[in-house]
Amino acid sequence: QVIKCKAAVMWEVNKPFSIEEVEVAPPKAHEIRIKIVATGICRSDDHVVTGAMVMPFPIILGHEAAGVVESVGQGVTSIKPGDAVIPLFVAQCGECNSCLNTKGNLCSKYSLSNSIGSAAGLMPDGTSRFTCKGKAIHHFLGTSTFSEYTVVHESAVAKIDSAAPLEKVCLIGCGFSTGYGAAVQTAKVEPGSTCAIFGMGGVGLSVVMGCKAAGASRIIAVDINSDKFDKAKELGATDCVNPKDFKKPIHEVLIEMTGHGVDYSFEVIGHSETMVAALASCQYNYGVSVVVGMPPAAQKITFDPMLIFSGRTWKGSVFGGWSKDSVPKLVADYMKKKFVLDPLITHTLPFTKINEGFDLLRTGK
């Protein structure tokens, strides 16, 4: 059956979301139709709204969610209607070289580059499951969670504990996992080390939690909005630094604070200048800097190669380096109270107020 439901459709760049009635087609072979229970708002969604991330319009955004399976297509055996699930914007076929290698978490077949840019906005078979006012609507990162129902490929969904509170664990679909994993998986922060995190949004705060869980002795939160610092301290930051309070560049401030630079730095904003500043702020020989923030499409980086010649490591991390199999384990860890999610949730709004949600995101609230 085709399902008619509400979705937040983005008709064109730099316009508000429009709550529309859309038709959601039934799942085809190896696809799953999900009733979305809760979805988070992430800066990456806003990058599409502003045009910093180029996607085809009209489109249904959203990629951080949890829901319940409504129906499954032919050939789906691992998941059944009624299962609690988290859609994955990092799909995994489980068979390509990348999926079979434990060093990374990005699939070659369903690569992120296929879901961003010109090839984007469609299911793996090259068609859409959404229509509105007679027009096909594009998918976003294979998830499109700003809809009461969505269709995803079976490679892009993780079955989770049905007892988990979906309005909390939806954050494991992106924000929490991305930040926490950048610290514990990608950087592999060690006990006693010193860390600096640039950007104290939901993902940056999750990096703070990851550094604390890994036993870092000093965790320096960096943000130009000092209102973020109370929450950062609550979650484990030992120092908070606002670059606006200093005349000198922030990397010099961090080197002076630590004597030689931090062991690990994380850029969780998505600006090329702060990526270079984060690299420069880590120890010149064995420091590791991780790019966590989504870089806008048009930006390029210019930096002094001496910054890495002496031994620094510059790494990137998508979805915290977690694989599809990690998601149910993270949910299980949450249920065992190994980490908290409540402090990351600042507002809970009805779906029809999604534009208000984005206003709160843009004003740093």
Side-chain angles (χ1 to χ4, degrees):
Q1 298 278 53
V2 169
I3 288 180
K4 288 186 177 178
C5 68
K6 284 202 293 269
V9 178
M10 180 60 51
W11 290 103
E12 51 187 312
V13 75
N14 277 318
K15 288 284 194 309
F17 290 88
S18 179
I19 301 290
E20 306 276 8
E21 182 180 80
V22 298
E23 290 90 44
V24 185
K28 294 188 183 179
H30 299 290
E31 294 176 358
I32 293 161
R33 189 161 58 182
I34 302 168
K35 181 184 202 295
I36 297 292
V37 172
T39 185
I41 289 175
C42 177
R43 181 68 73 179
S44 305
D45 302 306
D46 197 45
H47 281 334
V48 181
V49 178
T50 61
M53 181 174 171
V54 180
M55 297 292 289
F57 288 84
I59 190 167
I60 295 172
L61 298 175
H63 64 283
E64 177 181 276
V68 177
V69 175
E70 177 272 333
S71 58
V72 301
Q74 202 180 340
V76 175
T77 54
S78 57
I79 285 176
K80 61 188 187 306
D83 283 347
V85 292
I86 289 178
L88 306 173
F89 69 91
V90 176
Q92 287 180 315
C93 71
E95 293 162 2
C96 68
N97 284 349
S98 298
C99 283
L100 295 174
N101 190 316
T102 54
K103 287 181 184 172
N105 67 328
L106 298 185
C107 172
S108 305
K109 185 175 178 184
Y110 302 120
S111 76
L112 214 54
S113 53
N114 290 348
S115 29
I116 297 174
S118 57
L122 299 167
M123 294 296 283
D125 72 348
T127 63
S128 169
R129 301 292 164 270
F130 297 116
T131 43
C132 180
K133 299 176 178 170
K135 286 186 76 166
I137 309 293
H138 292 92
H139 293 250
F140 178 58
L141 302 183
T143 51
S144 291
T145 62
F146 294 167
S147 173
E148 291 177 325
Y149 287 85
T150 190
V151 177
V152 304
H153 193 267
E154 70 174 335
S155 61
V157 65
K159 180 180 165 180
I160 60 164
D161 180 353
S162 58
L166 300 183
E167 74 283 1
K168 314 262 195 228
V169 298
C170 63
L171 297 182
I172 291 172
C174 178
F176 171 76
S177 306
T178 296
Y180 187 77
V184 302
Q185 281 267 110
T186 308
K188 296 187 168 56
V189 169
E190 296 131 338
S193 56
T194 304
C195 304
I197 300 107
F198 289 65
M200 284 295 115
V203 182
L205 291 169
S206 301
V207 178
V208 171
M209 290 160 73
C211 291
K212 187 183 178 188
S217 60
R218 198 166 179 194
I219 301 170
I220 305 167
V222 181
D223 202 297
I224 55 172
N225 178 356
S226 296
D227 295 346
K228 303 275 189 184
F229 292 156
D230 286 345
K231 184 72 66 83
K233 283 180 176 157
E234 179 194 329
L235 291 172
T238 56
D239 306 71
C240 296
V241 178
N242 187 330
K244 287 180 170 174
D245 296 342
F246 299 88
K247 294 265 194 306
K248 63 181 73 163
I250 187 63
H251 73 273
E252 290 180 16
V253 175
L254 291 168
I255 289 169
E256 278 179 21
M257 283 174 71
T258 54
H260 48 65
V262 296
D263 299 311
Y264 299 97
S265 66
F266 301 85
E267 200 279 356
V268 204
I269 303 163
H271 290 319
S272 53
E273 314 84 71
T274 38
M275 288 172 188
V276 176
L279 178 68
S281 67
C282 68
Q283 208 275 354
Y284 73 96
N285 177 207
Y286 52 76
V288 175
S289 188
V290 184
V291 173
V292 190
M294 173 87 199
Q299 287 198 355
K300 297 281 180 279
I301 288 189
T302 308
F303 71 103
D304 178 351
M306 282 304 286
L307 280 174
I308 52 175
F309 174 70
S310 56
R312 286 183 182 94
T313 303
W314 213 355
K315 305 177 87 162
S317 180
V318 175
F319 193 49
W322 304 112
S323 66
K324 182 175 168 171
D325 299 340
S326 317
V327 174
K329 293 175 188 160
L330 286 167
V331 171
D333 282 351
Y334 171 73
M335 300 295 277
K336 290 178 198 148
K337 299 189 165 50
K338 288 193 179 174
F339 55 81
V340 291
L341 292 172
D342 279 25
L344 300 177
I345 302 170
T346 55
H347 299 76
T348 304
L349 297 170
F351 181 43
T352 49
K353 293 195 173 173
I354 188 165
N355 284 306
E356 288 177 38
F358 273 85
D359 289 341
L360 288 163
L361 172 82
R362 289 168 193 140
T363 52
K365 297 187 172 81

